[in-house]
Amino acid sequence: MTHQPLDRKGLAITVGTFLIWGVVPLYWHLLKAVPSFQIIAHRIVWSAVLVLGWLLLKNGLGWWRQIRAQPRAVPLLGVSSLLIAFNWGLYIWAVNAGHVVETSLGYFINPLINVVLGVLVLRERLSPAQWIAVGFALAGVAWLTVQAGSPWIALGLAFSFGLYGLVRKTVAVDAVAGLGVESLYLFLPGLAYVVWGEFGHGGGFVDGYGWRDDLLLVLGGVVSAVPLIGFAYGVRRIPLSVVGLLQYVAPSLQLLIGVLVFKEAFDATRAVGFAAIWAGLLIFASDGLWRARRRDALVAASAGK
């Protein structure tokens, strides 16, 4: 099997997605006065309204008919909806409970899971330099995991999003349409929780949170949907192993925010693990750049014949 050429548009959108995810803890922290489960429910509801509204305006029910034509798509997207709901819930709770550094650890572990899934399930191949990069990253993550003791938050985030990425890569549907089906699965439970909360169970959207938090909750739908669409778009166009290693962009930014903005602990012991991970990233990036230049040179030489 030959190495899959990188789709440059898919690569650019995927990198942009991870940049958004890297800074999003700052957004959710603005809602720290709102109960975590209310944030999660509103996130589900408003992202569903945004995505489904866009799909209906753009193509009516055509998007739904296209998905229904694939027998496996609807049940698999039901699985992915559960995975992303769990991931969202754990992430929001962890950020507002003061565990941003541990969430960054989860997303450092997650790319390794993507690499393993890409190789074992999808039969993707890694170059020798990429295997070395993975080795450095694995050593760093193993070190950080040992130092963390029992990092259940990190492991929960890593496994849920790794499996989500695998499911979305194996479902051949449009990125936005796929998110629309996931939204259909989650919308009614999310709406029910929002309504229940408004009757004295922690909700305050109608009368309680204030216009600022209400607006942030609504815009949380955009913050949730846009990067997920970008991720679903990119994960179908570039190898899952490449997605896995590029995902270190987001947790690196989350780590910096956790330490520099939220003043969470980060000592020399943790720095050793992160240094190994970043060394792996440097190797991977260098190998990718070399391969891209070599491919361009071969194309130019063939065109000149």
Side-chain angles (χ1 to χ4, degrees), residues 70-80 185:
Q70 303 181 49
R72 295 174 62 250
V74 174
L76 283 175
L77 289 168
V79 173
S80 65
Y185 276 109

Coordinates of all heavy atoms in Angstrom, one line a residue, residues 70-80 185:
Q70 N -28.0 5.3 2.7 CA -26.9 4.5 3.2 C -27.4 3.8 4.5 O -27.4 4.4 5.5 CB -25.6 5.3 3.5 CG -25.1 6.1 2.3 CD -23.9 6.9 2.6 OE1 -22.9 6.4 3.2 NE2 -23.9 8.2 2.3
P71 N -27.6 2.5 4.4 CA -28.2 1.8 5.6 C -27.4 1.9 6.9 O -28.0 2.0 7.9 CB -28.3 0.3 5.1 CG -28.3 0.4 3.6 CD -27.5 1.6 3.2
R72 N -26.1 1.9 6.7 CA -25.2 1.9 7.9 C -25.1 3.3 8.5 O -24.7 3.5 9.7 CB -23.8 1.4 7.6 CG -23.8 -0.1 7.2 CD -22.4 -0.5 6.7 NE -21.4 -0.4 7.8 CZ -20.4 0.5 7.8 NH1 -20.3 1.4 6.8 NH2 -19.6 0.5 8.8
A73 N -25.4 4.4 7.8 CA -25.0 5.7 8.2 C -25.8 6.2 9.4 O -25.2 6.7 10.4 CB -25.3 6.7 7.1
V74 N -27.1 6.0 9.5 CA -27.9 6.5 10.6 C -27.6 5.8 11.9 O -27.4 6.5 12.9 CB -29.4 6.3 10.2 CG1 -30.3 6.7 11.4 CG2 -29.8 7.2 9.0
P75 N -27.5 4.5 12.0 CA -27.1 3.9 13.3 C -25.7 4.2 13.7 O -25.4 4.5 14.9 CB -27.2 2.4 13.1 CG -27.3 2.2 11.6 CD -27.9 3.4 11.0
L76 N -24.7 4.3 12.8 CA -23.4 4.7 13.1 C -23.3 6.1 13.6 O -22.6 6.4 14.6 CB -22.4 4.5 11.9 CG -22.0 3.1 11.6 CD1 -21.2 3.0 10.3 CD2 -21.2 2.5 12.8
L77 N -24.1 7.0 13.0 CA -24.1 8.4 13.5 C -24.8 8.5 14.9 O -24.5 9.4 15.7 CB -24.8 9.3 12.5 CG -24.0 9.6 11.2 CD1 -24.9 10.2 10.1 CD2 -22.8 10.4 11.5
G78 N -25.7 7.5 15.2 CA -26.2 7.5 16.5 C -25.1 7.1 17.5 O -25.1 7.7 18.6
V79 N -24.2 6.2 17.2 CA -23.1 5.9 18.1 C -22.2 7.1 18.2 O -21.8 7.5 19.3 CB -22.3 4.7 17.5 CG1 -21.0 4.5 18.3 CG2 -23.2 3.5 17.4
S80 N -21.9 7.8 17.1 CA -21.0 9.0 17.2 C -21.7 10.1 18.0 O -21.0 10.9 18.7 CB -20.6 9.5 15.8 OG -21.7 10.0 15.1
Y185 N -30.4 13.2 17.1 CA -30.3 12.2 18.2 C -30.3 12.9 19.5 O -30.9 12.5 20.5 CB -29.1 11.3 18.0 CG -29.3 10.1 17.1 CD1 -28.6 10.1 15.9 CD2 -30.1 9.0 17.5 CE1 -28.8 9.0 15.1 CE2 -30.2 7.9 16.7 CZ -29.6 7.9 15.5 OH -29.7 6.8 14.6

